[in-house]
Structure formats: C-alpha cells, structure tokens
Amino acid sequence: MTMELADNVRKYRRRAGMSQEELAHAAGLSPATVRKVEQGGTVRMETLHALARALGIPTAALVASDAPEPAGRAEEPNRLNLIQLRAALTPAVGLVDQDAQAVGEEPNLRAYARTVRDARVLYFSDSYKSVAA
C-alpha cells in the first residue's frame, strides 16, 4: 500500500473528527487494523470499503492519487459536494477528440463508442494501466 493511501485515510478520519478507535468501531474492524492502514501496511479492498462506509465517503476517495485536501468541519457542507461535482464534470484524459475540437466539427461518436468499448474490455480484464493510458 502506498503512503498516499495511508495519508488519505488519516485525512478523512481527522476530518470526520474520529479517533482510530472510533473509526475501527464504526467500520467493524480492530483498532490495530486502522493503525496498520494509516502506517502504510498492506490492506484488502474490503477493509478499505468498510473504512470508506464508516467515513461516509466513496471508497475511490481513499485511493485517489490526487485526492483533495478534506474540507474542515467549520466549512460549509456544500463545499464537499462541489468537490465531487467538479471531479465528475472534469473530462477524463484522452477522451477529447483533438482533431474535432481544432476544426470545430461535431465529435466522432463512433470513435468515442469504440474507445469506451475498448476501455471497458481493458477495465474488466484488470488492465488498469492500459485504461489509464
């Protein structure tokens, strides 16, 4: 597990105002497991999912490489929703048809559909590096 993941778990736990013991109880895990995760030990996806549910965040937020700094408790609650909305609206890298954008033509829907089909096949065959490329 990367230290980035450990840092994300710690940030979101602190943002929620929870101790390691409180998070462990809410997630149905042992405090030693939470400590291990925050120290960068190996962790199963099921454990991350339990931690994310207890923190009230998507599991993907814990493993995101560019996770935003969690908003403090004093900030308005809609700020968290705006962060998620921005992430959802930001186009994925590589999905913009540069040729069509430059000329001002309509997007090539067949090319997009083929790209999505190819990415889906790669995704479900666990070829995540290929999907990212």
mmCIF file of all heavy atoms in Angstrom, residues 50-74:
data_model
loop_
_atom_site.group_PDB
_atom_site.id
_atom_site.type_symbol
_atom_site.label_atom_id
_atom_site.label_comp_id
_atom_site.label_asym_id
_atom_site.label_seq_id
_atom_site.Cartn_x
_atom_site.Cartn_y
_atom_site.Cartn_z
ATOM 1 N N ALA A 50 -14.933 -0.873 3.997
ATOM 2 C CA ALA A 50 -15.534 -0.710 5.326
ATOM 3 C C ALA A 50 -15.139 0.636 5.932
ATOM 4 O O ALA A 50 -15.973 1.332 6.532
ATOM 5 C CB ALA A 50 -15.108 -1.851 6.247
ATOM 6 N N LEU A 51 -13.891 1.033 5.757
ATOM 7 C CA LEU A 51 -13.435 2.329 6.276
ATOM 8 C C LEU A 51 -14.162 3.478 5.570
ATOM 9 O O LEU A 51 -14.606 4.437 6.211
ATOM 10 C CB LEU A 51 -11.926 2.474 6.099
ATOM 11 C CG LEU A 51 -11.056 1.588 6.979
ATOM 12 C CD1 LEU A 51 -9.602 1.657 6.536
ATOM 13 C CD2 LEU A 51 -11.204 1.977 8.435
ATOM 14 N N ALA A 52 -14.287 3.373 4.254
ATOM 15 C CA ALA A 52 -14.962 4.429 3.488
ATOM 16 C C ALA A 52 -16.421 4.561 3.909
ATOM 17 O O ALA A 52 -16.931 5.676 4.068
ATOM 18 C CB ALA A 52 -14.855 4.141 1.993
ATOM 19 N N ARG A 53 -17.112 3.423 4.098
ATOM 20 C CA ARG A 53 -18.513 3.480 4.554
ATOM 21 C C ARG A 53 -18.610 4.152 5.910
ATOM 22 O O ARG A 53 -19.496 4.970 6.144
ATOM 23 C CB ARG A 53 -19.098 2.066 4.626
ATOM 24 C CG ARG A 53 -19.603 1.531 3.331
ATOM 25 C CD ARG A 53 -20.488 0.294 3.524
ATOM 26 N NE ARG A 53 -20.053 -0.552 4.614
ATOM 27 C CZ ARG A 53 -19.421 -1.721 4.488
ATOM 28 N NH1 ARG A 53 -19.153 -2.179 3.297
ATOM 29 N NH2 ARG A 53 -19.070 -2.428 5.538
ATOM 30 N N ALA A 54 -17.690 3.819 6.811
ATOM 31 C CA ALA A 54 -17.716 4.405 8.150
ATOM 32 C C ALA A 54 -17.430 5.906 8.101
ATOM 33 O O ALA A 54 -17.945 6.670 8.918
ATOM 34 C CB ALA A 54 -16.704 3.708 9.056
ATOM 35 N N LEU A 55 -16.632 6.331 7.131
ATOM 36 C CA LEU A 55 -16.305 7.754 6.986
ATOM 37 C C LEU A 55 -17.339 8.502 6.148
ATOM 38 O O LEU A 55 -17.300 9.730 6.066
ATOM 39 C CB LEU A 55 -14.918 7.903 6.358
ATOM 40 C CG LEU A 55 -13.747 7.457 7.232
ATOM 41 C CD1 LEU A 55 -12.475 7.363 6.399
ATOM 42 C CD2 LEU A 55 -13.577 8.405 8.399
ATOM 43 N N GLY A 56 -18.237 7.766 5.496
ATOM 44 C CA GLY A 56 -19.268 8.399 4.675
ATOM 45 C C GLY A 56 -18.736 8.950 3.368
ATOM 46 O O GLY A 56 -19.229 9.966 2.868
ATOM 47 N N ILE A 57 -17.726 8.289 2.803
ATOM 48 C CA ILE A 57 -17.140 8.735 1.540
ATOM 49 C C ILE A 57 -17.068 7.544 0.587
ATOM 50 O O ILE A 57 -17.125 6.398 1.027
ATOM 51 C CB ILE A 57 -15.724 9.324 1.738
ATOM 52 C CG1 ILE A 57 -14.790 8.269 2.360
ATOM 53 C CG2 ILE A 57 -15.775 10.582 2.571
ATOM 54 C CD1 ILE A 57 -13.346 8.699 2.427
ATOM 55 N N PRO A 58 -16.941 7.793 -0.726
ATOM 56 C CA PRO A 58 -16.760 6.684 -1.658
ATOM 57 C C PRO A 58 -15.392 6.033 -1.438
ATOM 58 O O PRO A 58 -14.429 6.712 -1.083
ATOM 59 C CB PRO A 58 -16.823 7.337 -3.037
ATOM 60 C CG PRO A 58 -17.163 8.755 -2.838
ATOM 61 C CD PRO A 58 -17.036 9.079 -1.400
ATOM 62 N N THR A 59 -15.304 4.743 -1.663
ATOM 63 C CA THR A 59 -14.038 4.032 -1.497
ATOM 64 C C THR A 59 -12.968 4.630 -2.407
ATOM 65 O O THR A 59 -11.802 4.725 -2.032
ATOM 66 C CB THR A 59 -14.215 2.531 -1.805
ATOM 67 O OG1 THR A 59 -15.272 2.032 -0.984
ATOM 68 C CG2 THR A 59 -12.956 1.747 -1.520
ATOM 69 N N ALA A 60 -13.367 5.069 -3.585
ATOM 70 C CA ALA A 60 -12.417 5.654 -4.534
ATOM 71 C C ALA A 60 -11.724 6.884 -3.967
ATOM 72 O O ALA A 60 -10.591 7.187 -4.342
ATOM 73 C CB ALA A 60 -13.134 6.015 -5.829
ATOM 74 N N ALA A 61 -12.369 7.598 -3.047
ATOM 75 C CA ALA A 61 -11.748 8.782 -2.453
ATOM 76 C C ALA A 61 -10.512 8.406 -1.651
ATOM 77 O O ALA A 61 -9.574 9.195 -1.554
ATOM 78 C CB ALA A 61 -12.753 9.518 -1.569
ATOM 79 N N LEU A 62 -10.495 7.206 -1.093
ATOM 80 C CA LEU A 62 -9.336 6.788 -0.300
ATOM 81 C C LEU A 62 -8.144 6.437 -1.179
ATOM 82 O O LEU A 62 -7.003 6.595 -0.768
ATOM 83 C CB LEU A 62 -9.696 5.575 0.576
ATOM 84 C CG LEU A 62 -10.707 5.830 1.678
ATOM 85 C CD1 LEU A 62 -11.003 4.536 2.425
ATOM 86 C CD2 LEU A 62 -10.212 6.896 2.640
ATOM 87 N N VAL A 63 -8.400 5.952 -2.379
ATOM 88 C CA VAL A 63 -7.308 5.514 -3.249
ATOM 89 C C VAL A 63 -6.977 6.518 -4.336
ATOM 90 O O VAL A 63 -6.094 6.270 -5.145
ATOM 91 C CB VAL A 63 -7.616 4.134 -3.867
ATOM 92 C CG1 VAL A 63 -7.702 3.074 -2.816
ATOM 93 C CG2 VAL A 63 -8.877 4.171 -4.692
ATOM 94 N N ALA A 64 -7.660 7.653 -4.369
ATOM 95 C CA ALA A 64 -7.415 8.661 -5.403
ATOM 96 C C ALA A 64 -6.008 9.229 -5.240
ATOM 97 O O ALA A 64 -5.598 9.594 -4.147
ATOM 98 C CB ALA A 64 -8.453 9.773 -5.321
ATOM 99 N N SER A 65 -5.275 9.291 -6.339
ATOM 100 C CA SER A 65 -3.906 9.793 -6.269
ATOM 101 C C SER A 65 -3.855 11.303 -6.093
ATOM 102 O O SER A 65 -2.894 11.830 -5.565
ATOM 103 C CB SER A 65 -3.137 9.398 -7.529
ATOM 104 O OG SER A 65 -3.748 9.975 -8.659
ATOM 105 N N ASP A 66 -4.868 11.979 -6.529
ATOM 106 C CA ASP A 66 -4.893 13.437 -6.395
ATOM 107 C C ASP A 66 -6.067 13.865 -5.524
ATOM 108 O O ASP A 66 -6.778 14.795 -5.850
ATOM 109 C CB ASP A 66 -4.957 14.106 -7.762
ATOM 110 C CG ASP A 66 -6.171 13.678 -8.564
ATOM 111 O OD1 ASP A 66 -6.810 12.672 -8.206
ATOM 112 O OD2 ASP A 66 -6.473 14.350 -9.553
ATOM 113 N N ALA A 67 -6.241 13.164 -4.407
ATOM 114 C CA ALA A 67 -7.356 13.463 -3.513
ATOM 115 C C ALA A 67 -7.226 14.887 -2.987
ATOM 116 O O ALA A 67 -6.147 15.314 -2.602
ATOM 117 C CB ALA A 67 -7.383 12.473 -2.346
ATOM 118 N N PRO A 68 -8.307 15.623 -3.008
ATOM 119 C CA PRO A 68 -8.243 16.987 -2.488
ATOM 120 C C PRO A 68 -8.069 16.964 -0.982
ATOM 121 O O PRO A 68 -8.400 15.991 -0.316
ATOM 122 C CB PRO A 68 -9.611 17.574 -2.871
ATOM 123 C CG PRO A 68 -10.497 16.390 -2.959
ATOM 124 C CD PRO A 68 -9.635 15.251 -3.443
ATOM 125 N N GLU A 69 -7.547 18.043 -0.465
ATOM 126 C CA GLU A 69 -7.479 18.184 0.977
ATOM 127 C C GLU A 69 -8.892 18.177 1.502
ATOM 128 O O GLU A 69 -9.766 18.873 0.969
ATOM 129 C CB GLU A 69 -6.809 19.511 1.359
ATOM 130 C CG GLU A 69 -5.313 19.515 1.137
ATOM 131 C CD GLU A 69 -4.589 18.567 2.073
ATOM 132 O OE1 GLU A 69 -4.970 18.496 3.259
ATOM 133 O OE2 GLU A 69 -3.654 17.916 1.606
ATOM 134 N N PRO A 70 -9.169 17.388 2.509
ATOM 135 C CA PRO A 70 -10.527 17.368 3.036
ATOM 136 C C PRO A 70 -10.896 18.718 3.639
ATOM 137 O O PRO A 70 -10.062 19.375 4.234
ATOM 138 C CB PRO A 70 -10.508 16.276 4.105
ATOM 139 C CG PRO A 70 -9.123 15.785 4.177
ATOM 140 C CD PRO A 70 -8.285 16.463 3.160
ATOM 141 N N ALA A 71 -12.129 19.105 3.435
ATOM 142 C CA ALA A 71 -12.616 20.357 3.985
ATOM 143 C C ALA A 71 -12.760 20.219 5.486
ATOM 144 O O ALA A 71 -13.102 19.161 5.994
ATOM 145 C CB ALA A 71 -13.966 20.706 3.371
ATOM 146 N N GLY A 72 -12.500 21.299 6.201
ATOM 147 C CA GLY A 72 -12.619 21.274 7.652
ATOM 148 C C GLY A 72 -14.072 21.260 8.079
ATOM 149 O O GLY A 72 -14.973 21.550 7.297
ATOM 150 N N ARG A 73 -14.289 20.928 9.341
ATOM 151 C CA ARG A 73 -15.659 20.861 9.842
ATOM 152 C C ARG A 73 -16.320 22.240 9.851
ATOM 153 O O ARG A 73 -17.526 22.349 9.790
ATOM 154 C CB ARG A 73 -15.667 20.283 11.254
ATOM 155 C CG ARG A 73 -15.297 18.836 11.266
ATOM 156 C CD ARG A 73 -15.453 18.269 12.630
ATOM 157 N NE ARG A 73 -16.289 17.087 12.479
ATOM 158 C CZ ARG A 73 -17.022 16.580 13.419
ATOM 159 N NH1 ARG A 73 -17.041 17.101 14.602
ATOM 160 N NH2 ARG A 73 -17.760 15.518 13.186
ATOM 161 N N ALA A 74 -15.521 23.302 9.960
ATOM 162 C CA ALA A 74 -16.086 24.639 10.033
ATOM 163 C C ALA A 74 -16.579 25.141 8.674
ATOM 164 O O ALA A 74 -17.340 26.085 8.603
ATOM 165 C CB ALA A 74 -15.049 25.615 10.593
#
